[in-house]
Amino acid sequence: MRNNIVFIGFMGSGKTSVGRLVAQRLGFQFVDTDAVVVERAGMQISEIFARHGEPWFRDHETSALSSLSILNRSVISTGGGIVLRPQNRALLQELGFVVWLTASEDVIFERVSRNKKRPLLQTADPRRTVHELLEQRHDLYQGTAQFTVNSTELSHEAAAEAVIAKARKAFSW
């Protein structure tokens, strides 16, 4: 296993915010797979979904994840749906220590409601969509992660400290 920490979890769980803190505290590089896809595609995720659809995005997400296999001493934040493909779940585990950052459904909905550009929530009932997606992905997150942090009542700092403490044990740092 490489000395990377990989964050998975639903949109709004805090993967990017907590991931940046972990990277900063450990002196690691921070990489966000969504940012890699956006950079390579030359357009925002909402535009990718509108122009090309979710399958195109998922193909490019897998490509971005594959390209990160050379990394070491990095913190990698992933998109919420990255666990949908079995190939990605295997890649995530090869990349390093996989952390599932989760939160209660209410907290997640409150957080994701702030951003009106989330393509998967452009539905008649975004609250129901969040519920259904969380149910659909729960076992995939659980089966991929080596450690779970529930961020519902934790600050980003407290969540980052929990991840760092567990990673130190996993890597014997």
Side-chain angles (χ1 to χ4, degrees):
M1 175 173 28
R2 290 184 169 74
N3 283 327
N4 297 315
I5 299 171
V6 183
F7 282 92
I8 61 171
F10 201 74
M11 62 180 108
S13 62
K15 299 179 303 283
T16 300
S17 299
V18 174
R20 284 187 195 283
L21 276 174
V22 170
Q24 180 182 38
R25 292 188 180 162
L26 293 175
F28 281 20
Q29 172 185 2
F30 177 79
V31 180
D32 185 311
T33 59
D34 282 350
V36 172
V37 172
V38 166
E39 182 181 327
R40 289 179 178 179
M43 62 186 102
Q44 295 301 310
I45 291 172
S46 57
E47 190 177 352
I48 292 169
F49 270 73
R51 283 189 184 185
H52 304 288
E54 186 176 356
W56 192 92
F57 171 78
R58 297 289 173 212
D59 288 344
H60 286 76
E61 182 179 58
T62 297
S63 174
L65 186 63
S66 295
S67 74
L68 302 181
S69 65
I70 60 168
L71 295 180
N72 195 35
R73 297 180 53 82
S74 295
V75 174
I76 302 161
S77 175
T78 63
I82 204 160
V83 295
L84 294 172
R85 291 186 172 180
Q87 173 187 2
N88 290 351
R89 295 193 300 273
L91 285 168
L92 290 163
Q93 291 174 329
E94 289 169 19
L95 275 172
F97 183 67
V98 182
V99 176
W100 175 22
L101 199 58
T102 187
S104 72
E105 186 174 321
D106 289 339
V107 167
I108 284 177
F109 184 73
E110 189 270 321
R111 290 175 183 171
V112 300
S113 296
R114 296 179 204 151
N115 181 346
K116 302 299 180 202
K117 293 185 178 182
R118 296 193 182 265
L120 292 177
L121 298 183
Q122 304 306 309
T123 63
D125 187 353
R127 178 64 190 237
R128 181 171 178 78
T129 302
V130 166
H131 175 78
E132 290 171 353
L133 290 173
L134 280 168
E135 279 197 346
Q136 174 192 15
R137 297 174 181 179
H138 179 274
D139 291 346
L140 300 175
Y141 292 136
Q142 192 169 47
T144 306
Q146 294 159 283
F147 181 58
T148 302
V149 176
N150 187 326
S151 70
T152 300
E153 296 182 15
L154 293 179
S155 66
H156 291 324
E157 292 78 12
E161 288 305 318
V163 170
I164 290 168
K166 191 67 173 183
R168 286 190 197 284
K169 290 179 183 172
F171 291 119
S172 302
W173 293 335

